[in-house]
Amino acid sequence: MAAITSAGIGSGLDVASIVSQLVAAERGPADQRISIATTRANTSISALANFRSALANLQTASKALLPGSNGAASSLGKLTATPAKPDYFTASAENKAVAGNYSVEVVSLAAANKRASDLYASSSAVVGDGDVTLAVGGKSFTVNLTSPANTLADLRDKINAASDNSGVGAAIVSDGSGARLLLTSRATGTANAVSVTSSIFNTTESQPAADAVVKVDGFTTTSSSNAVTTAVDGLTLNLVKAEPGTSTTLTVGLDQKASEAAVATFVNAYNNVVKFIATQTKFDPVAKTAGILLGDSTVLSATQQLRNVIGGSADTAGVYKTLSAIGITTSADGTLISDTTKFNKATSTDFAAVQRLFAGTDGLATKMSALTTTLLADDGQLQAKTDGLNSRLKDLGKQQTAVDVRIQAYEARTRAQFTALDTLMSKLSSTSSYLTQQLAKLS
């Protein structure tokens, strides 16, 4: 049976404690170096992520000042379309609409065509076996009735469930005398009238299809829909009630509140970026601590580019070429301050120039949108910096693994050495005791 041993038992030497302290001393500097580097890399990655988030908000605020690619108005150039009597119609305006007053008369509303079947005793009454072909707007589809699924309810269900249904809704309406199948076009206008062809099923028109008719400043426009988009370029009139002979004034003008809010959002987004940079790059001389991004060349470069845009000019804008010209100035800490009174005066005096200052070909929002897009790109400097830090973390992980392997070997070697020393000291102690005993006998 193998002997049970414990380091230090033979000589009284505390081998376990000695080895533990030596290992800690050997491991300490390497662990500390790797820990500090890892913490700094993680903190830098987090700071860069927050920087990217602030830039993304600035990008969104910049794009909101630019016209949409589909013709939609930007938040800055948004127009309001307000009818004097909204009971007759409501309206909305795109950025290409022209501000002014329009006289609008709703002559008639668009209506969907409806056809009703002959009278049946009930929804379960048999219609017959055969085909029923329906057409809307030149497109047709056919349903087939075959016993026992050949009732009025079966015909309704088959019409509504047809995968090639071209735009007909079917419903059963009942009164005291029986039931009828009511067919309704899903789209208004004369071009979407319903027709039915069948040898087993008859219908009559219960509501004719009709186009909407509207007059704007005396000019007549027809539309298959009550959402009229062709009367005035850039305006949509949503007709509600017809009143022939009655005109209502429609006023189209700048949405001042929307413009103020859009510019304020842009200013706040830029200020948030400036404040974040200041916090992360400052040095506290009292505490002698530095922000995690202090001296970071990538952030310094981005900061300078942002300042260049904000402090730059839009030469094609016209009378207002800089932000300060419309009441937006830069404070000592780099943030922007807005003078609402001066801004509103500028928009009232020459809104087109204000719009060009932000959204022109060399406008500040145009430049800022392009800059933030570049900074946030997957192949941009910020992403490259983040990728480099992630690579650094992987390398530190490998270094930590190497340290662990080295320390394990060092611990095993040191323990073996001190165990051997413990054994030797135990033998020497036994020899000393023996010699002491022998000398005592001689005396």
Side-chain angles (χ1 to χ4, degrees):
M1 178 178 177
I4 299 175
T5 61
S6 176
I9 288 179
S11 66
L13 190 66
D14 191 351
V15 173
S17 177
I18 294 172
V19 170
S20 177
Q21 293 180 54
L22 289 172
V23 167
E26 182 71 18
R27 173 185 285 277
D31 277 357
Q32 184 179 30
R33 175 182 59 79
I34 293 173
S35 177
I36 291 173
T38 299
T39 299
R40 183 169 183 81
N42 280 321
T43 304
S44 296
I45 289 173
S46 178
L48 287 172
N50 290 331
F51 185 38
R52 289 174 65 90
S53 178
L55 287 173
N57 290 335
L58 178 57
Q59 179 187 49
T60 299
S62 300
K63 288 183 176 180
L65 298 174
L66 307 178
S69 58
N70 60 353
S74 71
S75 297
L76 175 62
K78 188 177 181 181
L79 298 174
T80 58
T82 308
K85 296 180 180 179
D87 291 343
Y88 296 123
F89 66 93
T90 60
S92 59
E94 297 178 359
N95 67 327
K96 62 183 178 180
V98 178
N101 294 324
Y102 302 86
S103 176
V104 179
E105 176 188 347
V106 181
V107 179
S108 62
L109 299 179
N113 186 212
K114 293 186 178 184
R115 302 189 68 85
S117 72
D118 292 343
L119 184 66
Y120 290 83
S122 68
S123 62
S124 60
V126 173
V127 174
D129 290 356
D131 292 337
V132 178
T133 299
L134 304 97
V136 178
K139 296 181 180 180
S140 63
F141 67 101
T142 300
V143 296
N144 177 264
L145 296 179
T146 304
S147 180
N150 61 355
T151 66
L152 193 64
D154 291 324
L155 178 57
R156 173 199 62 195
D157 295 342
K158 289 189 176 185
I159 291 174
N160 290 333
S163 60
D164 56 348
N165 187 321
S166 53
V168 181
I172 294 176
V173 293
S174 302
D175 57 21
S177 58
R180 299 176 189 273
L181 187 65
L182 183 65
L183 303 175
T184 304
S185 174
R186 291 174 181 164
T188 57
T190 55
N192 298 302
V194 177
S195 66
V196 180
T197 304
S198 177
S199 61
I200 62 171
F201 182 71
N202 298 316
T203 63
T204 55
E205 187 173 66
S206 58
Q207 176 176 292
D211 290 333
V213 180
V214 62
K215 291 183 179 180
V216 178
D217 289 342
F219 296 97
T220 301
T221 299
T222 60
S223 170
S224 62
S225 168
N226 285 316
V228 182
T229 59
T230 55
V232 182
D233 194 28
L235 291 180
T236 297
L237 306 177
N238 300 297
L239 309 185
V240 177
K241 178 183 176 181
E243 193 70 40
T246 300
S247 296
T248 299
T249 300
L250 173 64
T251 301
V252 179
L254 174 67
D255 190 337
Q256 188 69 41
K257 290 184 178 179
S259 296
E260 288 179 22
V263 173
T265 299
F266 174 78
V267 168
N268 289 336
Y270 177 79
N271 286 345
N272 288 337
V273 172
V274 171
K275 291 174 183 177
F276 175 81
I277 293 172
T279 300
Q280 298 298 320
T281 59
K282 72 178 181 180
F283 177 77
D284 187 338
V286 177
K288 295 184 179 180
T289 56
I292 192 65
L293 298 179
L294 178 63
D296 188 293
S297 60
T298 301
V299 175
L300 289 174
S301 173
T303 302
Q304 189 57 53
Q305 292 178 74
L306 291 168
R307 289 174 178 169
N308 289 343
V309 171
I310 289 297
S313 62
D315 295 333
T316 63
V319 64
Y320 304 123
K321 299 183 184 298
T322 63
L323 288 178
S324 60
I326 61 170
I328 301 175
T329 56
T330 304
S331 63
D333 64 1
T335 57
L336 299 177
I337 301 174
S338 298
D339 183 335
T340 303
T341 301
K342 191 172 182 179
F343 173 78
N344 289 339
K345 183 179 180 180
T347 56
S348 298
T349 302
D350 192 345
F351 174 72
V354 175
Q355 197 169 31
R356 288 193 297 272
L357 170 62
F358 286 100
T361 54
D362 63 345
L364 303 188
T366 303
K367 293 176 182 177
M368 188 62 76
S369 176
L371 173 58
T372 51
T373 297
T374 299
L375 292 174
L376 294 170
D378 290 340
D379 58 351
Q381 292 181 338
L382 291 176
Q383 186 59 52
K385 180 73 174 181
T386 301
D387 290 343
L389 288 169
N390 281 319
S391 296
R392 173 66 172 154
L393 284 175
K394 290 181 180 179
D395 181 62
L396 289 169
K398 292 178 181 179
Q399 290 183 38
Q400 186 63 65
T401 300
V403 168
D404 291 341
V405 171
R406 180 173 64 80
I407 292 301
Q408 287 176 2
Y410 173 78
E411 181 178 6
R413 185 171 66 252
T414 303
R415 189 176 298 279
Q417 291 172 345
F418 275 89
T419 298
L421 176 61
D422 177 54
T423 301
L424 176 60
M425 291 179 66
S426 177
K427 290 180 179 178
L428 291 175
S429 178
S430 297
T431 301
S432 176
S433 296
Y434 173 76
L435 291 175
T436 300
Q437 292 173 3
Q438 294 302 315
L439 290 173
K441 289 178 180 181
L442 291 175
S443 62

